[in-house]
Amino acid sequence: ITLTACGSSSGGSTANIKSTGLTVTILYRNKSVGSTKAFQVIQQELTNAGVTVKGLPASNADFYTKYLQSKTAAKAGQFDLAIAGWGPDWYGDGAASFFLPLFSGEQSFPWNGGSNFGLYNSATTNQLIKDAAAATDPATAQADWAKADRQVMQDAAIYPITDPQTANYHSKNLGNAIAIPSLQQIDPLNVTKTGADASTLHMLGVGDVDYMDPSVTYYSTGYEAMRFYSRQLFTYPAIQGQTTKAAADLATEIPTQANGGISADGKTITIHLRPGVMWNTSPARAVTAQDVVLGVKRSCNPVQPFTGQSDFSGLIEGYSAFCAKFATDAGKTPTVASLKTAINNNELSGVTAPNATTVVYHLTQPASYFVSMLAGLSAISAPVPVEYLNYLPGGNDLAQHTISDGPYAIQSYVPTKSIVFVPNPLWKQADDPIRKQNFTKVIVDESGDQAAIQQQLQTGSSNADMEWDTFPPATTIPSLKASNDPNLIITPSSSNNPYVVFNTASPNNGGAMAKAAVRQALSEALSRDALIKVLGGPELNIPLSHILPAEILGSQQFDLWAYNVGKANSDLIAALK
Amino acid sequence: MIRYIFVRALTGILVLFLVTVTTFLLFFAAPTDVGRTMAGKMATPDMIALINHRLGLDKPLWYQYGHFIWRALHGDLGYDYYHGQSVVSIIKADAPVSFSIAIGAAIIWLILGVGSGIISAIRPRTITDRVLNVMALVFYSMPSLVLGSLFLYFLYYKLTVAHHPWFPAAGYAPWLGAPGPTSSDHGLFQWGRHLFLPWMTLALITAAAYTRFTRGSMLEVLSEDYIRTARAKGIPERRVITRHALRSALTPVVTQFGIDLATLAGGTIVTEKIYGMPGLGNESVNAINNQDLPVIVGILVLVSVFVVVANFLVDLLYAVLDPRVRLY
Amino acid sequence: MSDVLLSATGVTKRFTVGSRGLLGGKVKLTAVDDVSLEIRRGETLGLVGESGCGKSSLARCLTKLYDIDSGSLTFDGRDITKTSRKDMQPLRREMQMIFQDPYGSLNPKRRVGSIIGDALAIHKMGDGPARKAKVQELMEVVGLNPEHFNRYPADFSGGQRQRIGIARALALKPKLIVCDEPVSALDVSIQAQVINLLQDLQKEFGLTYLFISHDLSVVQHISDRIAVMYLGRVIETGPSETIFSASAHPYTRALLSAKPAADPTAADRRERIVLAGDLPSPIAPPSGCRFHPRCPKAEMDCTTIVPTSDLLSGEGYERHFVDCLHPLRKDDELASFTPQIKDSIVTADVVSTGSEVGL
Amino acid sequence: MSASTAPPEEAVQLKASTGVVARGPWQLAWRRLRKDKVALISGAILLLIILVAIFAPLLNDMIGQSPNFQDPNGTDANGLPIGPSGAHWFGTDALGRDVLGRMISGSQVSLGIGLLSTALAVVIGVVLGLLAGYLGGIVDTVIARILDVVLAMPFVLTAVALVAIFGQSLTIIVLVLAFFSWATMARIIRGQVLSLREREFVEAARSLGASTYRIMFVELLPNLVMPILIYFSLLVPVNIVSEATLAYLGLGLPVPAADWGGMISDASDQGLFYQAWWTAFFPGAILVLTTLVFNLLGDGIRDALDPRIERLLQK
Amino acid sequence: MALLEVKDLHVSFNTDDGVVRAVRGISFEVERGKTLGIVGESGSGKSVSTQTLAGLTRGATVSGSAIFDGVDLITATPSQRRAVLGNKIGMIFQDPLTSLHPSYRVGWQIIEMIRGHDTKITKKQARQRAIDLLGMVGIPFPSQRVDDFPHQFSGGMRQRVMIAMAMALDPALLIADEPTTALDVTVQAQVLELMRKVQDEFGTAIILITHDLGVIADVADEVAVMYAGTIVERAQRNELFAAPHHPYTEGLLDSMPSRVKRGEPLRPVKGVPPSLINLPPGCVFQPRCPYAFDRCDKEVPLLGPVSRSELHLSACFLAPSTEEREALRQRRLGAEAAR
Ligand SMILES: Nc1ncnc2c1ncn2[C@@H]1O[C@H](COP(=O)(O)OP(=O)(O)OP(=O)(O)O)[C@@H](O)[C@H]1O
Ligand SMILES: Nc1ncnc2c1ncn2[C@@H]1O[C@H](COP(=O)(O)OP(=O)(O)OP(=O)(O)O)[C@@H](O)[C@H]1O
Ligand SMILES: [Mg+2]
Ligand SMILES: [Mg+2]
């Protein structure tokens, strides 16, 4: 009862499959049903192509820290393939958000904070990335990114699987439901509600924010919470069709070369803050440019540094040096006091506040996507009040003492259980083009259950309005879709594009994984359709055969390594010779 | 009596001490790396060391243990690794859920199990007895995950699809106190509605064991000489059963119940998981998946305290119920 | 070779049965208190007494199944007081026991053959077939069908089981057999069968018996000499005849008079002495003479002075010892005495050896 | 040697005259068990399940269903499983694998772990229970405290944690299940030994000069077979369910091993079984059936070995 | 008319091994104020027959009649029977250690008995009565001990409590099922003495079950000897002991050590009682009987008067003459020896 004997899949004839002699170890997260399923599909597909497959299950914690981010694990060949995922840190002009952390052989290895888990390093690609990143004009940049995309796929650096769509569901009482990809949710700050209890918004979820700290938070749920109480220079508006386009929030306008916001060399970006935006401190205080600088500085605190640093650490002038100095000055056992001293005594040359309403970013090289990036990463675009220095960054103490410049303030926060937002009286609609203050109370219940939340939303109970961090169960999508349920919203999101990592540094099989031909053949052995079926079905998954998904500028459609088991087998044998 | 309580309490404390030591050894000596887990994607060796240092994980095990015990004695079970919440507050938030499940289920199973056991025993070999026996056996053999799935499928899903959403699939609605910050589903009715399926799942399965247990105990007692004496007194059979037989037959049941109730605090885990109840069980599963040791150890120790205390109380209760037991 | 096979001097056995109070010491129960006895070769010494007076405990002390707390033991000329468990091994062959409960004394899960052959196996005597032959021979001796060696104890009646127990005891050809109430659990008709068997075997193999019973008529029938125990002490020892005809201890008299005689005319004639109260608790025995609270003949000194063993002299008395300050004369009628002291009424103190609770 | 007044035939007479054939305790039990139809049927079903487990690969070949093969036609266009059909009698799961094939192969895991862990627990429990009960004293105290500790640790919680920490392997799961089930066995054995050692046959053995080990293993052990057997038959289903529970909580054997609890767990993911009832129903049914027949058989064995309850009924 | 008249009582049990015919057609009468002793070996049906009268043998198949005070106890409804039980018939059982409820104070148990039948009596009066009863049966300090639990009493005292309870309502009949078997001789003497006293005082009739012929000789007026579910002989006490007719009675008496001289072997009844499932044909005692002859294994002897006395009944074909018996015995022994 060998698997091959039964295999009669659509990917070509399996009649003449020979053993390739290749044995690969696939790393997956056994606590994730999706990862485990994908592993099993890949295992079968590769076995069909004559490859011997071993599984390496890892807990969520070990998955990254023990394997993917470990210099030694990859080089020791502890895994050959891994099932990972990547979502862009910002949208729109976001190609850099894929290529910099994933494929740049110069700066994006995992131990530099990137996610180049397969240790892919190609001079050609590196150059293309460099060119694209340094382009001052978007059109050039996009052309370069497209080239890089092709190059990476030519090298079969990874095997992209799908561009997943996000399904969101809300109750029938909810109006103006517009999903924002960066939140992976309907924007709670723009929805309206009718029916009973229309002044309270009930959000139902299954989990918590990563951090309640704008300088540290990195994941979408954190951004969703921030949207209530913390404003950024730029953010995504809840306008149909523009939800991935940066819009001015605290900033008065989008800086361009035309309006003088971007210097001619593209390396200096000057942003003006909207006046009159206040912190809800007592006494109330205006939000200043210094607060923005403080936010950026806090992002590299040694206690809980911002996870997305790799996106910009080489880009903002003096950032890396500042971080290093910060860590040393804070001491071996950083305390609130030592952190405060360290942050106040060191200057970050790359971000300055010439006056209370002007922030200037100094870049090491031009980056046409920088404004887009500021919209995506709150760590370098959200002001924080000085009071935050009285707490450890990212800690629970701070989370209990947040200060708001947004439409709502946190009334109560029980980690993993609930958040209650109440209106911030100091916020003025006139000063905020992005958010609305439609409710007298927003209640987030974080301790729900996916199926139950769906049931509550579908039955339209008055205390279930929208999702917080969960989605309709994938198994229900086909029927919801079939019944044309108006409360179901499916948005392109690029939220977490799953892909297969090829560990190019693996010494296993005589270093076979280093050979592009081997990776190409392995790519041919994998069936995207089969994978998509187990990852939520085609309704939620657009097959993605290259790096950049459709909603990212520069994306082009091509598929270099079409599924063909027979060809994969013979190609593998040839490649391994 | 006092001496007995004293000695018993000492043994209880010894057991608790051993439980904490065992738990500590098992979990803190286990091959996991908390620092790395917490450091996240940005982990550098420095940062990992820093985190381990901050959590005191670089100290020798005995020191960590002493520290843990010292704090535990002051009502502080530490802080969870991820949100820095005090474990005590986590337990405080979760415990009402688990207790609601446990207590409600316990009452139901006690009524169902003991009732049917008694009926079975006083009408041995009748149709009633047989039917009750078969039912008891089936439920006794029913894993809670199966029964839970059955309930979910028929009572939640099928009913909901048929537009009778009587039973919610998941979630908890508080009964007493302020309607928590989040759930506007609260009050006695909502509480019961949300808990009904979990209760029945736990209760039916355990009730089955109690049916069997009570029946056996009752049959045993009914064959005792003193029951014959009671019958020879010419008092009504009803009185023989209620005053004479039940009194003795229920003594072991009551003690078993005490122990079961205590272990239940940790045993609602599957039920909580099935019905997505935010109780101690779910919390511990999450903690386990995140290797959030303070939470795991905290819950474990708490439940063990329950077991030990319950055993202690049960022993005392036993002595009260059965005057033959001498407490030295 | 002395004709005393086993002699015990001042044997005392205490059990710890719990502890008193929070810091109080252990509660000790004196099951056997300063007992001296002699068993002569070939004789049957009967040991009678009420339940709980320490008969079995004494028997176990004499056979070294219990370590004694004080006193000394001599068996067959050897001092065995301090002999270790290991050194006792060869001596075990010479002293065997027969037990009371024909159900409890045979392992229900083992075949009769292997039960009887156990002794041979333990002492590594003979090989398989030889053992089997020996076992079958023994079964025949005690009146069991030798073909039944493969059966389980449950397949036999009470009397037959007792025969199995006897065969087991006989296997090693012991010199002394301690019979701990071997017939108490049997019905009269079966009891008589077993008693006859025991007597026949004694004749045939020259056995010496220590025969424990609470049934006076059985003891009377089988014993050459009788020792009477009360609350851990042997209070009277003497030849069977004189014990029955001329006992000097008030307790012995009371015991004899309480014994129902299966003879209506005797029963009607008899002067009954009904003792007050029950056997007191051996944990807190009465002071002085232990019998004094129940004794119709007790005097003030009985409450303080512990009587020691006195050899009775006089016509018809031969090696007859009694522990009494005011022994009865032959022709005294106990019923004619009224107690001189009014001690507190003895109430029972149920001995609990610990609670049932917990592990 | 023949000087008895009691002629042998007198003794023989007993059973012969009453017409009761001599029989050992085991024959007696077997005779009673044979009359117990429910127990016999349960035994037969159990035997069948065990045979299925033993010959699982063969059976899978016979029905032509590999437990791990993901049939491309096993899921519909939306990736949902296919219901029971000619191709897949019990339908398929989320990966398009044959449910029946996986159940067959899962019987190996479930029964194997159930039996193995129970056997281990029983061995540990019996040895420690014997030692504690017979030797008493400090040995007893130490073992008693260990027992208390084990019994004070909440089972599911600790088991889940242990498996999570030490890894999901067969050995670990078996060890963890055994770790939590030996204590009750030891307690039962200890209690039995405590009362057995007061029985006169133990005293008799001691008076014959039998060694401690001989008494423990020759005299006492045979008398413990009954509680051991009964407890074994009751514990196996408990451990099977425990293993399924671990698997349900995501701590079963690593994929792609088929395992009943794991199958139910898979079916519960994203409420799959609401759309595809067969993914949970069949594994659930076999799980219930297995525990049921074990319990029925256990009851039967108990009644056969220790017909006390039955006797009580007659009073 | 006798107080209790039992006629042709049959009791059998269905068991897995077959039908146990525990009692097979026994008849006896108990006169007011008299003591009937029932003696027999273990398993001969003594307890079953008396417990059947009180309706305590559940699950048994019963036939026959037992007229007590005009009521047939066998066909009586449960409530009719309850009115008699405890009230007019008191019972005490063999094992005093287990016959009292361990969890209730002895006073409570006695009061329950009193108030169960006498609804008019107040709690206080009932309690006083309980104390009086305890005093009557010789419990020292009854007003204190009334609040003790059974385990705080010794075996003898518990049996006294049982007697006090049985006598609480001054019953006409006391059924004592081996009341002294578990007790020591000295305590047994106390209890027997007490029963005698109670009988003298209240004129209670007593059925005394025992397997100890000594006890019977002490207290019974009339004796019934049971063997394998039947009464094989019934006679006045003196008559029975002096001139037993049935070979089983004879064997029982001969088995007693006190009946033979020291040094002589006892004369046991050989063999063991039969199984009640598979009874031997003819006379049930025939396989063990030293006098058995041809007729014995063919015909069942009925309980009938022995020629000497109308009050002496025996179920045996033997003529009462001793010479004839001896001849038969020798013949049979000879036949066995020849085999
Ligand atoms: N192992 C023991 N531990 C504690 N106390 C004991 C032990 N064995 C006997 N005793 C106590 O010692 C006293 C004497 O007991 P023993 O068994 O020797 O009496 P006995 O005369 O043989 O009684 P019986 O006639 O009931 O067999 C009793 O009070 C008993 O409770
Ligand atoms: N409930 C029952 N089911 C089956 N057989 C029974 C039942 N009760 C009693 N017997 C049988 O009936 C027979 C007579 O029992 P009974 O208790 O009357 O004997 P007994 O003469 O009182 O003996 P003992 O002296 O041992 O008390 C016995 O063989 C017993 O096994
Ligand atoms: Mg004894
Ligand atoms: Mg009886």
Side-chain angles (χ1 to χ4, degrees), chain C residues 55-56 60 100 180-181:
Chain C
K55 305 183 294 293
S56 303
R60 284 159 174 73
Q100 166 174 6
D180 191 354
E181 315 211 20

Side-chain angles (χ1 to χ4, degrees), chain B residues 114 118 121-122 213-214 217-222 224 226-227 230 233 235 237-256 316-325, chain E residues 100-106 108-109 112 147-151:
Chain B
V114 173
I118 292 169
I122 57 181
F213 187 45
T214 309
S217 163
M218 190 75 184
L219 280 176
E220 185 117 31
V221 168
L222 282 175
E224 291 282 356
Y226 55 79
I227 297 299
K233 281 178 174 179
I235 53 174
E237 181 68 14
R238 192 182 192 81
R239 192 178 164 89
V240 173
I241 299 291
T242 53
R243 296 305 289 268
H244 291 256
L246 273 184
R247 167 78 194 239
S248 308
L250 291 189
T251 306
V253 176
V254 166
T255 57
Q256 181 63 35
L316 289 185
L317 184 68
Y318 200 96
V320 171
L321 288 178
D322 186 346
R324 279 171 304 181
V325 176
Chain E
L100 287 166
H101 200 296
S103 313
Y104 291 110
R105 297 171 198 281
V106 295
W108 188 95
Q109 303 193 41
E112 183 189 37
D147 288 328
D148 279 353
F149 287 101
H151 72 268

